[in-house]
Amino acid sequence: MRKTAILLLFVMILTSILTGCGEKGLSFTLESYPRVDGSTVTIPLSEAMAARLTGLDIEEVRPYILHNKTHEAYVNLIDNNADIIFVTSPSEEELALAEEKGITLEVVPIVSEAFVFLTHSENPVKGLSYDEIRQIYAGKITNWSEVGGPDVPIIAYQRPINSGSQTGFLDLVMKDIEPMAAPTEKVIAGMGGLIDAIAAYKNDESGLGYSYYYFVVDMWGNEAVKLLEVDGIYPDKKTIRTGQYPIKTAYYAVLRSDEPKNSPARKLLEWILSEEGQQLAEDTGYVKIK
Amino acid sequence: MLRLSRRLIFILVLVLLISCNAELDKRADNIEQIKDETDYSLKGRAVYGPGEIYSGVLNPIEIKEIIVANTEDQHYNYVQISGLKDKVVEERINRDIKKRFDELMNYTEFKKPMPFRGAQIFMQEDTKVYGANLSIYTAFNYNNVLSLVAYVSINLENPLNGYKYMYMTDSLNFDLNTGEQFSLEDVFVNDVDALEIVNRGIYEDINSLKGFHHVDGFSYYDLVSPFKGIKHGQRFFLTPNGINIVIDYNNPEFNVDFASTVMEIPYSSCRGSIAITERFYNEDVNLYTVEATEKCLFVSYSGKRKYEYYNSDNANTFWDASIGYPEDLSEHLLEEIKAHRFKQEAYVLDSANAEALNYVEQRINVQQAGRYLNVSCHVYFNSSNEYQWQEDYYVYSENGELLSIKDIFAADYDYLPIIREGLEKAIKEYRLTDGPEADALLQELNFGIYDTYITFITKPYEWRTGSKHPISFQIQYKDIGYDNLLVF
């Protein structure tokens, strides 16, 4: 009995040493790490995971982690050139491609994300309803006084077509409503000519802009930017995680359903959903999924 | 057995504790290192604001280009300097340049992957390098400061991923007084937060480039995570136009793919905060084996700018006009510039048969040149049987006063002879000896000031029937003599 206890203790201590004082469970080498791909927005998460699970510095793993952007990542996964991808949700086109190639995708949310609206910190308006936002961007509400603010016009900035945030805006907010024409400004194009471009958000009392929470919350220089409540709920890590904040989305891990049980990719997915993995995601600036 | 096991357990526990403590020590070391980085001591003299840089004195050093390879697929070169009195400083600088060159050669020779995200994926055993360049050259050589830029590029090909071009930028910034390399903070006066100023510039640039191109952006300047601000050690180099911030793998918030990018912050955007001259330059101390004799006015070609755009398509005439100016231009000057536009428009209508006018293109551009503002107004117009090109220049003082030609010269300097000489030479070069009289053209000369010269423009002259455009010529500041000029 005592021998067994000693042996058990020996194994525990040895395990602790080998796993680095009990901080790590799953571990990989750069060679055994699954082939990953993904969207630009999940690069920091992907790099942080690889660094944690290989025990290397983030600068050391960075040259080994390549995210080819969302669509190419899906194609690479479907074509078996990647084992797991970290992306936004699949488009109709990507689902159709998978179906055409006889691949079923497993899409698992790994971190929460929200679509947030912002204005100048001194704008007295605390929040907008979801419907008010849609009416503003449809061009029906045009003055802050109509939503409890000062009598100044609302300049409702948009993002360039095909940018991630504009896609999110159309899919998560406007849905079936056509947004009004975006404010534009002249910018220098090639050969020194001037072209009309979607005007960038200007943080003054007229401005209303949008972005994903991840990009706004810790952005340098955003101290004069205020996030707006939507339907009375302020976007923060808790309200986004719990789903109280109404304009919520997520970033996902996607695998082929034929990915073997206990494969490195499945272990990686399991790990990111673990408490340790979720804490790493939060430390990297994302919002936990649970 | 039991005794042996106890000993073994004791040893293992000891090993465990030591290994954990070693890890803690390592973390403590890291914390110390981070602390050291934030406690950076500025180099050279302490300089307090306001500090400006409008011009520079060219360092009279010889910069020799050393070409190591120059073939169809490879070009490698670096520079070595000579001409400093202090040979120890000179050798130190040359040694540092060569050392950096050798380090960077590792990337061109495929010994090391460029540290871009995912670069290793392209460096398989069967990857071929089929083109490589490494060039170190001078970006700024004024006021006892030497700023060098290194560009490294490689073209790779591997069977799995195909072709890939990678491009990185490195820099070396030397204080020629000591041969030491200085940091971004040294460019700024002691009593400002240098990183804060640069961060503000980057933040504005992110926004003006329609920032937050997240999820899947398409700008060259893509954010992958919120910009948290640059830190001590930020890579940069200087040019006569401003401070160039190199955005690359050292700024992981940005997705630069496999090519570094450069963001320029003009000196004019950092009013009162630039310490280069006062920190590194003393006109009473000559560091060189020969005297410095050349000066350069720093002209800003970038910065935050606004554009106003006017076009109309009336009857048979298409008008295309624009004004570009610094964002912080005063209302007063903007009104003046608009008045110049209307004056030029009136001239077009006076000069051409309005009904026959087809096309008018008018470009007005305002830029900082030293402490002055240069306004250039170019107009081109044509009708079915004639065309004309006209350029009008205006120079304003920092107080917003329009300067006449005499205002840029010392009071006791007779500038007319050198201008007449320049004009007569131009007339000769254009082979217009039977054409305009220099005296007549001299009466209506416009001028603009640039980095090393003044440009002079005449009123449009009819070169041949139906074709009118001005005669332009330039006079170098050094030919006038810096002491005869008030622009420095």
Side-chain angles (χ1 to χ4, degrees):
Chain A
M1 181 62 188
R2 190 178 288 172
K3 261 187 180 176
T4 312
I6 289 166
L7 190 64
L8 192 66
L9 188 61
F10 174 77
V11 170
M12 283 168 64
I13 293 171
L14 196 63
T15 308
S16 285
I17 293 168
L18 291 176
T19 57
C21 305
E23 286 185 1
K24 297 173 197 165
L26 184 64
S27 70
F28 292 103
T29 63
L30 285 170
E31 289 72 32
S32 67
Y33 198 74
R35 295 172 302 163
V36 299
D37 204 333
S39 308
T40 311
V41 71
T42 56
I43 289 173
L45 177 63
S46 204
E47 289 175 346
M49 279 194 292
R52 173 70 63 88
L53 296 175
T54 58
L56 297 170
D57 288 339
I58 206 151
E59 289 77 16
E60 290 176 283
V61 298
R62 194 163 277 145
Y64 292 84
I65 303 295
L66 180 64
H67 279 206
N68 288 295
K69 301 193 174 178
T70 309
H71 181 70
E72 203 174 332
Y74 272 105
V75 172
N76 281 339
L77 180 73
I78 292 164
D79 290 344
N80 198 15
N81 291 325
D83 301 320
I84 185 167
I85 61 174
F86 305 109
V87 282
T88 50
S89 56
S91 66
E92 292 292 326
E93 186 190 351
E94 286 142 6
L95 288 171
L97 180 69
E99 194 179 343
E100 183 191 315
K101 299 211 171 182
I103 303 290
T104 308
L105 300 177
E106 281 180 35
V107 183
V108 183
I110 50 169
V111 283
S112 302
E113 178 59 291
F115 206 76
V116 295
F117 289 84
L118 40 109
T119 187
H120 193 277
S121 56
E122 288 181 10
N123 188 326
V125 174
K126 263 179 74 182
L128 297 165
S129 72
Y130 181 68
D131 191 50
E132 282 170 340
I133 291 168
R134 283 155 58 91
Q135 286 194 55
I136 289 169
Y137 278 98
K140 290 178 182 164
I141 295 176
T142 58
N143 193 294
W144 283 104
S145 63
E146 296 173 70
V147 289
D151 181 18
V152 290
I154 301 174
I155 301 177
Y157 292 97
Q158 296 187 39
R159 296 288 184 201
I161 294 164
N162 293 332
S163 65
S165 46
Q166 187 66 7
T167 306
F169 168 67
L170 297 174
D171 292 349
L172 298 168
V173 182
M174 298 309 281
K175 297 178 181 171
D176 54 332
I177 297 177
E178 183 77 19
M180 64 180 171
T184 58
E185 62 188 350
K186 300 285 178 197
V187 296
I188 300 177
M191 310 297 286
L194 292 168
I195 57 164
D196 283 312
I198 304 292
Y201 173 74
K202 286 179 188 61
N203 193 37
D204 56 34
E205 62 169 355
S206 293
L208 175 66
Y210 50 73
S211 184
Y212 283 100
Y213 179 79
Y214 171 65
F215 281 94
V216 176
V217 73
D218 285 328
M219 182 83 172
W220 190 96
N222 266 3
E223 58 280 354
V225 168
K226 175 169 79 176
L227 299 187
L228 291 168
E229 293 176 357
V230 175
D231 290 342
I233 306 293
Y234 183 77
D236 60 27
K237 285 185 175 174
K238 189 178 169 199
T239 59
I240 293 168
R241 192 177 66 244
T242 58
Q244 280 176 280
Y245 181 77
I247 314 175
K248 192 191 164 184
T249 181
Y251 301 126
Y252 303 86
V254 185
L255 303 90
R256 291 179 306 276
S257 61
D258 60 0
E259 183 66 34
K261 204 175 175 186
N262 286 326
S263 71
R266 286 208 182 274
K267 284 182 181 168
L268 183 60
L269 173 59
E270 196 178 316
W271 185 84
I272 187 63
L273 293 170
S274 71
E275 196 178 322
E276 190 184 354
Q278 287 290 294
Q279 189 55 49
L280 179 80
E282 185 163 291
D283 294 345
T284 315
Y286 301 87
V287 179
K288 292 175 180 175
I289 199 76
K290 55 186 183 182
Chain B
M1 173 67 188
L2 191 60
R3 201 170 295 149
L4 181 69
S5 298
R6 276 183 182 153
R7 277 190 202 135
L8 186 64
I9 290 165
F10 175 75
I11 291 165
L12 285 170
V13 168
L14 200 64
V15 168
L16 179 68
L17 289 172
I18 290 167
S19 103
C20 286
N21 280 337
E23 186 64 25
L24 287 173
D25 287 347
K26 198 173 152 192
R27 286 176 196 166
D29 285 349
N30 284 343
I31 290 165
E32 197 57 39
Q33 200 177 341
I34 290 163
K35 194 180 162 200
D36 284 345
E37 282 184 357
T38 54
D39 288 348
Y40 177 71
S41 298
L42 294 172
K43 292 197 163 47
R45 283 188 294 277
V47 180
Y48 296 96
E52 303 283 0
I53 188 161
Y54 293 116
S55 62
V57 178
L58 186 71
N59 305 320
I61 51 173
E62 189 187 341
I63 301 175
K64 191 177 175 191
E65 186 187 17
I66 313 288
I67 298 173
V68 177
N70 192 15
T71 66
E72 198 178 315
D73 296 334
Q74 294 173 325
H75 179 88
Y76 307 136
N77 76 281
Y78 63 98
V79 294
Q80 295 282 271
I81 66 159
S82 59
L84 281 173
K85 281 181 188 166
D86 189 332
K87 294 301 165 196
V88 175
V89 169
E90 189 172 290
E91 277 166 28
R92 179 182 182 174
I93 291 169
N94 285 332
R95 197 171 53 240
D96 283 359
I97 297 170
K98 179 65 168 57
K99 187 175 168 218
R100 185 66 59 89
F101 176 81
D102 291 340
E103 286 164 2
L104 293 172
M105 278 297 285
N106 286 321
Y107 297 113
T108 64
E109 290 171 344
F110 207 49
K111 289 179 188 160
K112 253 168 104 175
M114 287 193 183
F116 290 111
R117 288 194 161 103
Q120 186 64 41
I121 311 288
F122 296 93
M123 300 202 62
Q124 310 300 330
E125 273 182 19
D126 45 3
T127 299
K128 287 179 191 161
V129 182
Y130 66 92
N133 286 282
L134 165 53
S135 181
I136 297 182
Y137 72 89
T138 311
F140 184 94
N141 182 32
Y142 299 95
N143 296 2
N144 299 342
V145 164
L146 177 66
S147 191
L148 301 175
V149 189
Y151 288 124
V152 192
S153 67
I154 47 170
N155 281 295
L156 302 175
E157 182 191 4
N158 79 41
L160 186 67
N161 308 98
Y163 295 96
K164 183 58 68 181
Y165 176 71
M166 296 185 190
Y167 175 90
M168 60 188 275
T169 307
D170 202 351
S171 64
L172 295 135
N173 299 291
F174 293 105
D175 169 3
L176 296 181
N177 294 280
T178 60
E180 281 187 62
Q181 291 183 50
F182 61 87
S183 293
L184 183 57
E185 291 93 323
D186 295 305
V187 174
F188 293 86
V189 295
N190 289 51
D191 48 347
V192 298
D193 184 338
L195 299 184
E196 166 90 14
I197 292 171
V198 177
N199 281 331
R200 179 64 55 193
I202 296 174
Y203 177 74
E204 286 172 6
D205 210 44
I206 291 168
N207 281 334
S208 68
L209 287 164
K210 321 296 161 281
F212 311 132
H213 281 304
H214 39 69
V215 185
D216 278 338
F218 50 84
S219 125
Y220 74 104
Y221 211 67
D222 211 6
L223 277 180
V224 304
S225 61
F227 173 60
K228 301 275 178 67
I230 59 161
K231 295 178 178 61
H232 170 68
Q234 170 64 42
R235 195 170 278 173
F236 78 103
F237 59 91
L238 303 176
T239 66
N241 302 327
I243 305 158
N244 292 260
I245 305 296
V246 178
I247 303 291
D248 61 10
Y249 41 81
N250 293 308
N251 306 90
E253 302 107 312
F254 295 96
N255 182 33
V256 294
D257 281 333
F258 299 98
S260 55
T261 188
V262 171
M263 199 209 78
E264 186 181 86
I265 301 176
Y267 300 121
S268 56
S269 300
C270 311
R271 293 244 158 82
S273 304
I274 301 295
I276 298 169
T277 306
E278 289 79 2
R279 175 155 287 139
F280 300 111
Y281 184 70
N282 179 351
E283 64 179 340
D284 298 328
V285 178
N286 180 19
L287 304 177
Y288 312 98
T289 53
V290 295
E291 290 289 330
T293 56
E294 289 189 36
K295 292 182 182 179
C296 176
L297 208 60
F298 293 161
V299 179
S300 173
Y301 292 100
S302 59
K304 306 286 173 269
R305 295 181 68 79
K306 277 188 177 173
Y307 293 92
E308 294 185 12
Y309 193 63
Y310 316 89
N311 63 32
S312 63
D313 198 355
N314 298 328
N316 299 323
T317 311
F318 181 73
W319 287 77
D320 176 4
S322 66
I323 303 179
Y325 56 93
E327 235 177 39
D328 57 356
L329 189 74
S330 69
E331 280 295 320
H332 157 72
L333 275 177
L334 186 57
E335 288 310 310
E336 288 253 322
I337 287 153
K338 285 181 179 173
H340 295 318
R341 180 171 90 80
F342 295 133
K343 191 174 151 195
Q344 214 173 36
E345 264 184 29
Y347 172 81
V348 171
L349 292 170
D350 276 355
S351 307
N353 175 353
E355 285 177 12
L357 206 55
N358 292 329
Y359 177 72
V360 183
E361 184 179 335
Q362 190 181 24
R363 299 278 172 251
I364 297 177
N365 189 34
V366 184
Q367 64 185 182
Q368 185 92 25
R371 61 182 74 239
Y372 305 96
L373 278 174
N374 245 352
V375 182
S376 61
C377 308
H378 296 189
V379 66
Y380 168 85
F381 54 96
N382 67 33
S383 60
S384 54
N385 56 2
E386 61 176 358
Y387 70 91
Q388 188 174 146
W389 169 257
Q390 185 186 341
E391 295 176 36
D392 295 313
Y393 284 80
Y394 305 92
V395 179
Y396 287 88
S397 73
E398 54 195 330
N399 302 323
E401 291 156 0
L402 182 63
L403 301 184
S404 67
I405 209 154
K406 67 176 172 47
D407 296 325
I408 62 169
F409 294 104
D412 57 350
Y413 178 67
D414 181 7
Y415 51 86
L416 277 175
I418 196 167
I419 297 174
R420 174 188 287 278
E421 188 188 331
L423 177 60
E424 285 171 347
K425 197 174 157 199
I427 289 172
K428 210 179 211 176
E429 279 171 2
Y430 287 125
R431 297 182 182 180
L432 299 172
T433 42
D434 296 332
E437 287 294 325
D439 281 339
L441 292 173
L442 270 175
Q443 302 305 313
E444 293 187 299
L445 273 186
N446 271 300
F447 73 99
I449 54 176
Y450 289 89
D451 48 1
T452 56
Y453 59 86
I454 308 172
T455 198
F456 293 93
I457 305 277
T458 67
K459 287 291 171 197
Y461 163 71
E462 189 157 21
W463 293 62
R464 55 183 174 272
T465 308
S467 169
K468 273 186 175 179
H469 55 95
I471 298 167
S472 69
F473 60 98
Q474 284 140 17
I475 302 178
Q476 299 286 323
Y477 296 131
K478 67 178 175 187
D479 294 337
I480 296 168
Y482 300 103
D483 291 342
N484 296 322
L485 287 156
L486 300 178
V487 294
F488 288 97

